[in-house]
């Protein structure tokens, strides 16, 4: 038996499902999850000593590759000064200044420890600021696991949302309306029906939690206009796409200013750090200035801030995002060509260092379209690649990530492996 299997059996005795976050369990692709021992650059190694090219990058944070020497050094330098103080530090000012500089719609920012906390806190702030309860989210967008956000559409557009998780009271879900991504007509209909009740609209401006789906510019512009018109707070959840699709995030790519932005993943450089921020007049409603309560024992943790700050400094290197986007495009173009040669229906897309692979003929634009992909084929492809030493996300409904450590040799090796994998699917 492989060491991964031994560990998985042991893990399941004391950890529900053997994992601390569900997608790690390989439930949708089947097989045994790989237990990771160490990582470096574009690679990680499992408990059996097998090496993989890593295309999840901890689900986004590892944009510089694993164990980047300068990030390692920054962390090592602060470690001996203490792990956590529960009192403010200068480094927290530095990371706040850096975030406000890189994302100009953010005038003030509050650090938290996870993306879930960032979105939950931003929504409470939006509700406190507007004195309204109702929020709008979009099908296929994930904003962490706060109760108000684990909601799916009701039976009709204007009916109450339903919980997607056991344990979420219907009384909470009913304040959330779920609309179709990229559907401007539905959005207009919702605003016409109850615009003056809407506290906030939250959206992934480049969606990465149903696989990669780009918002259309018309859709994001309509969101901006309707929110301004009705006094609702527009929240861009850039936990995944922030510092990933461009240095200034999706809001830079689309040229749209949200009222609040949620950040995570890259801003912690692999450590638990996230943030939310935006308009100063809205942020002034947060405790201790205002009446919206929000707090955290480990918020702005010095070790996490050191890793995040160094990461934010390194991604400002000239040409960083051009190179990252070029390597990511090279990957998806190579995979698309390999699939075409094997006559496997396939398409792919990328934006910055984020990519989507779809087992269907054209690039999807909504959750409903994503559902039409051939998951059986995806699962076979995933396992063939895994055998060949390439680790893609273990689900057809997740985006992939390239880091600056993914050089030409790494991308070429991936495309070579994919030729074999696609050929085995066609056979
Ligand atoms: C990952 C993610 C979250 C949740 O962040 P956690 O740190 O896992 O709590 C929220 N929103 C988006 C868009 C994400 O990708």
């Amino acid at each position: 038996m492989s060491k991964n299997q031994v560990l998985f059996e042991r893990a399941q005795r004391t950890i529900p499902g053997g994992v601390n976050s569900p997608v790690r369990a390989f439930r949708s692709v089947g097989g045994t999850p790989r237990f990771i021992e160490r990582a470096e650059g574009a690679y990680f190694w499992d408990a059996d000593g097998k090496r993989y090219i890593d295309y999840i990058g901890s689900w986004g944070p590892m944009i510089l590759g694993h164990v980047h020497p300068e990030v390692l050094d920054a962390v090592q330098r602060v470690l001996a000064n203490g792990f956590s103080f529960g009192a403010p530090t200068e480094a927290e000012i530095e990371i706040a200044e850096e975030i406000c500089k890189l994302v100009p719609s953010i005038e003030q920012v509050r650090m938290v420890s996870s993306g879930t906390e960032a979105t939950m806190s931003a929504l409470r702030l939006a509700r406190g600021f507007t004195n309204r309860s109702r929020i709008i989210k979009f099908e296929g967008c994930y904003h962490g696991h706060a109760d108000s956000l684990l909601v799916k559409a009701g039976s009709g557009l204007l009916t109450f949302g339903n919980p997607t998780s056991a344990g979420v009271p219907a009384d909470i879900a009913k304040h959330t309306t779920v609309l179709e991504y990229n559907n401007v007509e539905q959005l207009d209909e919702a605003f016409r029906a109850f615009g003056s009740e809407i506290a906030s609209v939250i959206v992934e401006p480049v969606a990465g939690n149903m696989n990669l789906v780009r918002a259309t510019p018309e859709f994001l512009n309509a969101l901006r206009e309707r929110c301004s018109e009705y006094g609702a707070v527009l929240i861009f959840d850039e936990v995944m796409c922030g510092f990933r699709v461009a240095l200034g995030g999706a809001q830079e790519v689309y040229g749209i200013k949200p009222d609040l932005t949620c950040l995570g993943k890259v801003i912690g450089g692999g450590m638990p750090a996230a943030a939310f921020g935006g308009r100063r007049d809205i942020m002034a409603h947060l405790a201790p200035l205002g009446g919206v309560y929000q707090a955290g024992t480990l918020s702005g943790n010095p070790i996490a801030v050191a890793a995040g700050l160094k990461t934010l400094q390194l991604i400002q290197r000239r040409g960083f995002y051009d190179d990252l986007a070029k390597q990511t495009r090279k990957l998806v173009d190579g995979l698309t060509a390999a699939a075409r040669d094997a006559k496997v229906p396939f398409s792919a897309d990328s934006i910055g260092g984020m990519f989507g692979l779809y087992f269907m003929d054209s690039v999807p634009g909504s959750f409903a379209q994503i559902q039409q992909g051939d998951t059986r084929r995806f699962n076979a492809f995933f396992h063939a690649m895994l055998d060949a030493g390439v680790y893609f996300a273990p689900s057809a409904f997740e985006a992939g990530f390239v880091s600056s450590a993914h050089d030409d040799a790494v991308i070429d090796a991936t495309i070579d492996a994919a030729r074999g994998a696609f050929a085995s699917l066609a056979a």
Side-chain angles (χ1 to χ4, degrees):
M1 216 191 326
S2 82
K3 197 167 170 202
N4 290 305
Q5 277 170 305
V6 173
L7 290 175
F8 191 41
E9 281 178 19
R10 184 173 144 210
Q12 290 175 84
R13 279 183 233 131
T14 50
I15 304 172
V19 293
N20 282 312
S21 197
V23 75
R24 296 179 196 171
F26 276 29
R27 285 284 172 110
S28 67
V29 290
T32 307
R34 302 307 194 258
F35 283 70
I36 306 306
E37 270 186 3
R38 69 187 178 89
E40 194 184 325
Y43 301 100
F44 57 39
W45 285 261
D46 74 7
D48 287 310
K50 183 173 164 116
R51 187 185 82 172
Y52 301 88
I53 299 173
D54 173 16
Y55 284 106
I56 63 169
S58 186
W59 300 97
M62 310 316 300
I63 197 165
L64 297 165
H66 294 282
V67 207
H68 188 285
E70 288 184 60
V71 179
L72 178 66
D73 181 61
V75 168
Q76 280 173 337
R77 270 189 285 124
V78 299
L79 272 176
N81 295 337
F83 292 3
S84 182
F85 313 122
T89 61
E90 186 174 356
E92 289 166 79
I93 312 173
E94 288 173 31
I95 199 166
E97 288 171 350
E98 207 67 30
I99 292 167
C100 293
K101 179 185 91 184
L102 295 175
V103 186
S105 72
I106 300 182
E107 294 171 334
Q108 286 206 314
V109 62
R110 172 71 51 92
M111 296 300 292
V112 292
S113 300
S114 73
T116 291
E117 254 188 283
T119 56
M120 179 187 76
S121 307
L123 282 171
R124 184 183 308 131
L125 176 59
R127 284 167 158 166
F129 175 74
T130 56
N131 255 313
R132 302 173 182 174
S133 300
R134 202 193 273 262
I135 59 173
I136 289 184
K137 78 176 284 285
F138 300 94
E139 208 176 10
C141 288
Y142 175 69
H143 305 291
H145 59 90
D147 285 349
S148 330
L149 293 164
L150 295 179
V151 177
K152 61 174 187 284
S155 51
L157 169 62
L158 305 180
T159 55
F160 295 145
N162 293 319
T164 53
S165 166
V168 174
D171 276 349
I172 290 181
K174 76 176 186 197
H175 299 292
T176 304
T177 298
V178 182
L179 305 179
E180 197 183 21
Y181 198 69
N182 278 336
N183 188 331
V184 177
E185 265 171 48
Q186 268 197 8
L187 182 77
D188 283 341
E189 199 177 331
F191 267 96
R192 272 197 303 273
F194 46 74
S196 59
E197 296 167 28
I198 299 169
S200 178
V201 178
I202 186 167
V203 67
E204 283 184 79
V206 170
N209 287 287
M210 52 173 144
N211 206 326
L212 170 64
V213 176
R214 293 169 187 253
T216 62
E218 300 72 42
F219 177 61
L220 292 185
N221 280 315
L223 287 182
R224 178 64 280 175
E225 282 165 20
R226 291 301 90 73
C227 285
S228 299
E229 193 179 328
Y230 287 87
V233 174
L234 177 60
I235 302 176
F236 274 10
D237 179 355
E238 298 222 38
V239 169
M240 185 179 279
C241 58
F243 309 118
R244 173 51 73 178
V245 299
L247 184 57
Q251 51 198 275
E252 175 187 304
V253 173
Y254 287 87
I256 295 175
K257 251 183 153 176
D259 301 306
L260 294 177
T261 299
C262 298
L263 296 167
K265 300 196 166 107
V266 170
I267 80 167
M271 295 277 185
F276 64 102
R279 272 167 49 187
R280 188 181 301 275
D281 61 323
I282 300 179
M283 294 302 282
H285 286 252
L286 266 189
L289 296 179
V292 177
Y293 191 71
Q294 190 279 331
T297 301
L298 296 178
S299 293
N301 173 270
I303 319 288
V305 165
L309 187 57
K310 180 52 77 177
T311 300
L312 293 187
Q313 288 162 351
L314 291 169
I315 60 179
Q316 293 176 54
R317 201 178 64 213
R318 187 184 297 279
F320 181 88
Y321 283 90
D322 290 342
D323 291 345
L324 187 69
K326 197 179 94 219
Q327 289 307 92
T328 313
R329 199 24 81 171
K330 182 174 171 182
L331 172 73
V332 303
D333 286 349
L335 294 178
T336 306
R340 192 187 321 114
D341 292 347
K343 301 194 164 49
V344 172
F346 179 84
S347 59
D349 194 12
S350 74
I351 172 163
M354 196 168 156
F355 65 87
L357 311 178
Y358 322 99
F359 283 78
M360 59 176 88
D361 287 318
S362 58
V363 171
S366 71
F367 188 61
Q369 285 172 19
I370 283 276
Q371 304 290 37
Q372 280 149 29
D374 186 340
T375 38
R376 198 189 44 83
R377 270 218 163 109
F378 168 82
N379 291 350
F381 176 76
F382 167 82
H383 276 292
M385 293 302 280
L386 196 66
D387 288 346
V390 181
Y391 194 108
F392 283 122
S395 161
F397 305 102
E398 301 286 351
F401 303 95
V402 167
S403 80
S404 54
H406 288 70
D407 58 15
D408 284 341
V410 168
I411 303 286
D412 290 342
T414 306
I415 295 166
D416 274 349
R419 290 200 169 273
F422 282 124
S424 73
L425 296 191

